[in-house]
Each structure stands twice: as structure tokens, then as C-alpha cells.
Amino acid sequence: MEQTYCLTPAEWRYAQGCLTLAKRLGLIEDDTPAALEKRRAAKNAEISRSETEGAPVYGTRYFSAPAYLQYELTRFKLDFVEPCGKIRALGVCPDFTEAQTRAWYDANRDLFTRYFGDSFSYEESRQIIEKRMREEVYEALMQDILCEPADRQGRE
């Protein structure tokens, strides 16, 4: 299966973990490779139908297997980092206090510098900080999944 998606075994395991997390979060109903391929075929058919009907199609006009997997994995992470309604309703994506975001900014000031070395202010960076903090939460959830026995990941 890794070959279909142009991934190493470790990358495929991570991708499977992302699919499992997306299922647990209610973003998809089925986290199997077969379901991934069904969603890819449906997306490609939707794009083709739009083109046939003369509707504008922006971006990718056909998803290969590796491209569609990356599209989904990116979408899942973005749904978490910039919480969509489903994620907010679950309550798994935290909101951060001013003190937490300020502490993260202070600990990572090197990430907020311009080309000439001057820094972006905390106020200019707060939204980005919150997104980075949510990325850390997402990765922690992923690590929890990756630590589970392999036979348990896809059975929920």
C-alpha cells in the first residue's frame, strides 16, 4: 500500500494514524485505504462533472493517489488547527488563554522575526501562535494513536 501512495512504511503508518484520528473526530466515516480510494474517485468525478458543466474548477483537476492522500491529510489538520464546526462541537481542540499564548510567544520569539531581524509583536502574531499551539495538540493526539497497538487503530 505504501507504494501506491509513494510513502515509506513509517510515512504510511503516520498517514494511517491521521486517517484514524479523522475518523475518531467525525471528519470521515471510514479510515480504510479502500474508503480513501472511494473518496478520491468521488472527488475526481465531482471535478470532471464540474468541468463538463462548464463550472469553474480551481486548483487540481485530477487527484493521483499520492496527491489525494496529501490533500486529505492537510485538510484534516487544517480542520483541527482552524477548528471547523465538528471539531469545535467535540471540544477536543482547546482555546488558549492570553497567558498561555504569551508564554508560547516568549519561548519561541525566534519564529517571529522579519528578514532584517526585527520581531513581529505578540499582537501581530497571536492568531499564528494559537494555530501553532493547536498543531502541537494535533500532533500529540497523533502520537497517542501511533502508540496504540496496530490492530486497534482501525477498529473504532
Side-chain angles (χ1 to χ4, degrees), residues 14 16 32 40 50 86 93 95 97 126 131 134:
Y14 183 85
Q16 287 177 303
T32 64
R40 179 172 79 96
S50 291
K86 282 184 178 182
C93 190
D95 289 317
T97 66
R126 177 147 184 180
K131 289 176 183 179
R134 285 189 195 105

Side-chain angles (χ1 to χ4, degrees), residues 12 40 48-49 54 68 73-75 99 109 122 126 138-139 146:
W12 175 242
R40 179 172 79 96
S48 179
R49 194 171 33 259
Y68 188 75
L73 298 184
T74 300
R75 188 181 55 124
R109 281 186 183 256
Y122 167 77
R126 177 147 184 180
Y138 182 87
E139 288 304 321
L146 294 174

Side-chain angles (χ1 to χ4, degrees), residues 25-62:
L25 295 174
L27 300 175
I28 57 175
E29 291 182 19
D30 190 342
D31 60 352
T32 64
L36 175 66
E37 282 304 306
K38 280 179 80 172
R39 290 190 301 273
R40 179 172 79 96
K43 183 71 170 174
N44 282 333
E46 175 189 331
I47 293 167
S48 179
R49 194 171 33 259
S50 291
E51 284 182 316
T52 302
E53 294 170 356
V57 175
Y58 302 100
T60 305
R61 294 179 181 272
Y62 175 81

Side-chain angles (χ1 to χ4, degrees), residues 44-142:
N44 282 333
E46 175 189 331
I47 293 167
S48 179
R49 194 171 33 259
S50 291
E51 284 182 316
T52 302
E53 294 170 356
V57 175
Y58 302 100
T60 305
R61 294 179 181 272
Y62 175 81
F63 283 95
S64 64
Y68 188 75
L69 175 63
Q70 289 308 310
Y71 165 78
E72 276 207 347
L73 298 184
T74 300
R75 188 181 55 124
F76 299 150
K77 191 172 195 175
L78 287 174
D79 283 349
F80 191 88
V81 170
E82 185 63 42
C84 67
K86 282 184 178 182
I87 300 297
R88 283 238 181 256
L90 289 173
V92 295
C93 190
D95 289 317
F96 300 102
T97 66
E98 175 91 14
Q100 290 171 311
T101 55
R102 172 79 63 183
W104 200 95
Y105 173 79
D106 290 340
N108 296 282
R109 281 186 183 256
D110 59 315
L111 298 177
F112 302 101
T113 57
R114 294 181 176 93
Y115 180 73
F116 292 108
D118 59 321
S119 295
F120 289 96
S121 70
Y122 167 77
E123 290 74 21
E124 292 173 301
S125 308
R126 177 147 184 180
Q127 280 186 321
I128 295 165
I129 294 165
E130 289 178 0
K131 289 176 183 179
R132 291 292 302 266
M133 291 173 76
R134 285 189 195 105
E135 283 180 6
E136 290 175 357
V137 172
Y138 182 87
E139 288 304 321
L141 292 171
M142 277 301 306

